[in-house]
């Protein structure tokens, strides 16, 4: 054991937090990619945000 046990503890906790957050992000991205959630959410946002005079639908219909 080193003289800086507290520093070792902090570094270990940061490393564990980093590993878990990367794993959670990876799982979430795989799920979103599998279900095509990004495209569906973007389409809903465009339609809801630009609903004045049907501009959202015109934007989606434009090639």
């Amino acid at each position: 054991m080193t003289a800086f046990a507290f520093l070792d503890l902090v570094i270990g906790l940061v490393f564990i937090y980093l590993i878990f957050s990367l794993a959670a992000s990876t799982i979430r991205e795989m799920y979103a990619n599998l279900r095509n959630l990004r495209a569906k959410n973007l389409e809903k946002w465009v339609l809801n945000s630009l609903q004045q005079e049907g501009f959202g639908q015109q934007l989606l219909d434009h090639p």
Side-chain angles (χ1 to χ4, degrees):
M1 186 136 147
T2 65
F4 301 106
F6 181 73
L7 185 60
D8 290 342
L9 175 69
V10 170
I11 291 171
L13 288 175
V14 167
F15 182 71
I16 289 172
Y17 181 76
L18 175 71
I19 295 297
F20 280 137
S21 66
L22 286 173
S25 295
T26 301
I27 291 168
R28 175 71 180 138
E29 287 297 320
M30 287 171 50
Y31 177 75
N33 197 11
L34 182 67
R35 304 271 306 186
N36 291 327
L37 292 178
R38 290 181 189 265
K40 291 175 187 174
N41 287 337
L42 179 61
E43 183 178 2
K44 275 198 271 185
W45 179 84
V46 167
L47 289 173
N48 289 336
S49 296
L50 304 173
Q51 57 183 319
Q52 305 104 304
E53 301 172 15
F55 184 67
Q57 190 61 45
Q58 290 175 358
L59 183 66
L60 290 175
D61 292 339
H62 189 275

